[in-house]
Amino acid sequence: MRKYKVVFLKNNFYEMVEIYPMLGSLLYLPQNSIFESKQIELLFSPIHKEKKILLNILNEREDYSYYHGIHTLYNPITNESIKIQMNEYDVEVEESEHKQIIFDILKGISKNFYMIEL
């Protein structure tokens, strides 16, 4: 299984991450202090509107389920599942190796989405 987070970069930070691709991963820290929380607020945008769009897309699928904050897509033919947890500043995804289905969906909404490997 592969785990990653998808975050939304503010426009000025997006341009910097295009030049230095690892910068987004290095600066997205767990919010354990006020400094780290402020850093997240300055560089990354909350993704409320984009999460609603993603939820609408997921709700249209027959293989979608939701239980205690975990959104799941399950394919019974391949026996693969995608688990999604939505937070204020990120979408945490666990899916099969070599796939990034949720990231591709979000990237279709805006170019400012960025994937952080866990």
Side-chain angles (χ1 to χ4, degrees):
M1 294 299 272
R2 174 183 183 194
K3 287 187 176 185
Y4 62 88
K5 288 186 179 191
V6 181
V7 295
F8 192 84
L9 306 173
K10 290 190 175 180
N11 284 330
N12 55 351
F13 188 49
Y14 176 78
E15 295 167 0
M16 177 103 49
V17 171
E18 281 188 314
I19 298 169
Y20 304 105
M22 293 301 298
L23 191 59
S25 300
L26 294 173
L27 294 177
Y28 192 79
L29 303 170
Q31 298 178 36
N32 296 328
S33 70
I34 294 172
F35 172 77
E36 291 166 347
S37 295
K38 284 295 182 188
Q39 179 173 309
I40 298 297
E41 291 173 12
L42 290 173
L43 302 175
F44 303 92
S45 292
I47 51 176
H48 304 296
K49 180 179 71 172
E50 292 82 3
K51 285 190 292 191
K52 287 181 183 178
I53 294 170
L54 178 60
L55 279 175
N56 288 337
I57 292 169
L58 294 177
N59 278 323
E60 293 175 2
R61 297 179 57 122
E62 291 181 18
D63 59 350
Y64 170 73
S65 65
Y66 175 79
Y67 186 71
H68 286 289
I70 305 293
H71 306 267
T72 305
L73 296 174
Y74 178 71
N75 185 337
I77 296 170
T78 61
N79 202 24
E80 293 181 346
S81 66
I82 300 173
K83 294 182 181 179
I84 307 156
Q85 184 175 358
M86 298 186 186
N87 303 312
E88 183 178 3
Y89 284 94
D90 64 56
V91 175
E92 192 170 335
V93 181
E94 182 179 330
E95 63 183 310
S96 300
E97 295 287 330
H98 313 297
K99 294 185 181 179
Q100 55 188 29
I101 295 168
I102 302 303
F103 177 67
D104 291 339
I105 291 171
L106 290 170
K107 196 70 171 172
I109 296 170
S110 173
K111 68 178 174 112
N112 285 39
F113 279 103
Y114 177 76
M115 180 171 42
I116 300 172
E117 295 279 345
L118 297 178

